[in-house]
Amino acid sequence: MATSPRATQQKFEPWTDPDAKPYVRIEKVTKKFGDFIAVDDVSLSIYKKEIFCLLGASGCGKTTLLRILAGFERPTSGRIFIDGVDMTSIPPYERPVNMMFQSYAIFPHMTVEQNVAFGLKQERLQKGEIESRVTDMLNLVKLGQFAKRKPHQLSGGQRQRVALARSLVKKPKLLLLDEPLAALDKKLREHTQFELINIQETLGVTFVVVTHDQEEAMTLSTRIGLMNHGEIVQVGTPSEIYEYPNSRFVSEFIGSVNTFEGRLVEDEPSYVRIGCDDLEAPIYVDHGVSSAPGATVWAAIRPEKITISREKPDATDNWASAVVQDIAYMGDMSIYLLRLDSGKVVRVTQPNIYRHAEDRITWEERVYLQWYPESPVVVTK
Amino acid sequence: MKSVLRRLGLDGRSVVTAVPYLWLLLFFLIPFVIVLKISFSTSQIAMPPYEPLLHWAGDKVLQIKLNLGNFAFLVEDNLYWKAYLNSIWVASVSTFFCLLLGYPIAYAIARSNPSARNILMLLIVLPFWTSFLLRVYAWIGILKNNGLLNNFLIWIGAIDQPIQMLQTDFAVYIGIVYSYLPFMILPLYANLEKMDLTLLEAAADLGCRPWQGFMKITLPLSLPGVRAGCLLVFIPAVGEFVIPSLLGDPGMLMIGKVLWTEFFNNRDWPVASAVAIVLLLFLVVPMMYFQRAQDAEAGGVHR
Amino acid sequence: MNQGRNLFRTLVLILGFAFLYIPIVSLIVYSFNSSRLVTVWGGFSTKWYGALLQNDQILNAAFLSLKIAAISATLAVVLGTLAGLVLARFGPFKGRTLLSGLTTAPLVMPEVITGLSLLLLFVTMEQVIGWPAGRGMTTIVISHITLTMAFVTVVVQSRLSQMDDSLEEAAMDLGARPHKVFFLITLPIIAPALMSGWLLAFTLSLDDLVITSFVAGPGSSTLPMVIFSKVRLGVSPDINALATILVAIVAVGVAITGIMMARQQKQRERDAQMALAANQAMIESVKKG
Ligand SMILES: Nc1ncnc2c1ncn2[C@@H]1O[C@H](COP(=O)(O)OP(=O)(O)OP(=O)(O)O)[C@@H](O)[C@H]1O
Ligand SMILES: [Mg+2]
């Protein structure tokens, strides 16, 4: 999984600070289209200078929530505060918020320069100031020499940057980006992700980014809000969401995961043991779980946290035996699909460290799986 | 100014809505109410030539006189219902031939190469930009006894006596098909052109022969276009006046002509109004159908 | 087999266009015929054009028709644009169905009905509020606006629904109030549609006979009314001359638009190629960097 470039920088975690005031507050917002509930009782706090990603499957209400923040949709109930001011009934043209549209929405009858200057002209700034701010912004997004071009003379990546420049030049308090990179090809997208982070840090603007690409969310965001059917199901940093999903939905949405259904057979404050019908040995987890004994729980184990060997382990917990069903060579790693005796297929990834590993595990071999007690995540819903 | 409008509860949006709305209410909807009203009145030799429907009788008692005589007249005199039936017949036949002619043309254009399509469509609508009246007039020169067509047929030896073509139903059919053909082709073309051709490839892949592909895929998918085109031709053709008066037999019964005669020659406005009301009743169903199709077309794109 | 289909297509197109154009061509050819009997060729002559230019009745009627068409097309574009905007952009509201019905009905309503109903309205209005006094240009213009705005509405509505509405939202998001959004973004983008709407309205107005006959006063005969009264009595060569002039004007107009469109098309293709090249260069630089 890609790591955030922020990881190396100093800690930026205002949400852990009880005194920090959220910059954007979404309070119990619900939006209905007729009987259909597109956004369901969402409450969120977003802090200054964050890149907050709204992530979720298609149709889960991400765009709708963004449009409510921008002012294009009125929430059916609930309120929106930006910088402490109630924005719920302020029209879009009076909000200190700008949006970058998924289609970019670049005005086709204006040049690049005129597009970027449009918002400043609406503020009736002086001509000189408009010109210098437009020039600065175009240079920032590396479009200086394209100022006089018409949109249809630009490539997809250039259009994306015109749209970005146009929404940033107004120095919004909050920038909303709806799938900002979806229309770019893979190479350009990866490149642009880092540019986007650089620009955001240079200008210190707060970003709310909508995406359905989890890798993009992982790369860009300080925190992710994961949505499902109009509800926010979990909010957390990329690593929190990846390592500590709070539900089966979250663990299965982010990355790939093997989920084992089972019951708590031993339930102590410091550890639990889970009996699974699919496994010969119980799963031992080195932390407590708040659930009634005997209740159904799910243990989720990431494919990269399972090791494969030919020898039968002599541990009492955390192992299983399986037959290799399929192997996919991916370059830096290989994916193994292993069939347990119960018929359940488990996915395991192993790095390809050696070039010509003799004696590699192959199809139809019997192997044993093992994992550490800290690897499984236990979820109760 | 702005604040005054605000105080009246009028923002920009409602003003923008109100202007075309009021115009259409005043100049399109209300006139029909008046026609309805006058169709219940009696004719008089005066200006305007009808008796008022409402009048004050004595002590502020408002009297409404409803005279059903005009409608009774339409039922009794079989000239009228013959004219209605004949108009519907003529419009149906013309619509059928328009479709028969228009479908292959629209299809041929929609399946020709993309750069040629726009030019061909331009050529289809081009005659529409020249006068309708003059185009109908051109057919007089072609169809009359010593006209182009008869001369041509005599020249090739197909006939040796001119055939009477002008002032026949045939001439009226030709005139209507000719004048309304672009209205049939336009919606058909719009429909056929946006059809996904891979559907036909998929059908062929599944074992359909080309003509089966046409019958089972293209034709059913183009039905909305067929419907729009037919309504666009049929409805106005029922009330057509110019074509039957210029090309048809003077005695040909078409309701548009009857209405015109009642109004201009007999100066019987109430009967003319009754004729219009009944004609409208005949057309209300196809018109609502058309309106629904039109709105669905626009609504399909609308978010 | 493919060839067979091509042959069929070509044949259909040839026959179709022959049907559409032979009458028009015959009009033109016989306008240069010196014989009064329109269909008997009596040698080449341009005398009917001369006769036409001396016919005051026709010239006056043509002038009146042009004036009416210009005024009513302009107003119809204004009203039709508003109606198209309301229908395409204002979402569902109470009375929307009625409005959309009122804008599509004139498209197909038999003209005798529209003409009669408008006349009765004008007569009633004159009785009740004293306006419009008598019938003439004003009543014709009002009627033509009502008829032609329906066509403009359809054109504008369909153009607007093709237009990406996030363009308007983006403008609003950048601080433009709704009326500014309309004038700065929507209007320039749909301008070509308004132009064709205007031309359509102009042509329809110039061409209308039935409605005009109902609502015209004694002194206000438009060109179609004059033509109709003449051709009712049979063919007359100066009408052929008039038709030829009209066809020539339309042909020149179409040729100009055609050339302009072709030029724009070429420019756009060149631009697209440039953008593609730029894209390529950018990907190269990303790969290197
Ligand atoms: N104007 C509207 N009227 C009715 N339903 C709507 C409207 N806008 C959105 N919806 C519905 O609300 C739901 C959420 O839509 P939304 O556009 O927010 O999804 P999304 O999460 O952005 O999806 P995607 O990733 O596909 O863009 C969808 O089911 C959609 O059909
Ligand atoms: Mg979306």
Side-chain angles (χ1 to χ4, degrees), chain A residues 33 36 38 57-64 73 102 179 212, chain B residues 303:
Chain A
F33 293 112
F36 180 79
S58 188
C60 69
K62 308 176 298 283
T63 299
T64 308
E73 310 277 1
Q102 186 168 358
E179 314 238 357
H212 61 243
Chain B
R303 184 168 46 93

Side-chain angles (χ1 to χ4, degrees), chain B residues 102-139:
Chain B
Y103 200 104
I105 297 180
Y107 184 82
I109 296 179
R111 296 289 173 271
S112 53
N113 74 43
S115 56
R117 274 182 224 160
N118 285 337
I119 295 176
L120 291 174
M121 275 320 283
L122 186 72
L123 286 175
I124 292 288
V125 291
L126 203 57
F128 172 82
W129 294 95
T130 63
S131 166
F132 158 73
L133 194 55
L134 290 174
R135 278 180 297 131
V136 176
Y137 161 76
W139 281 100

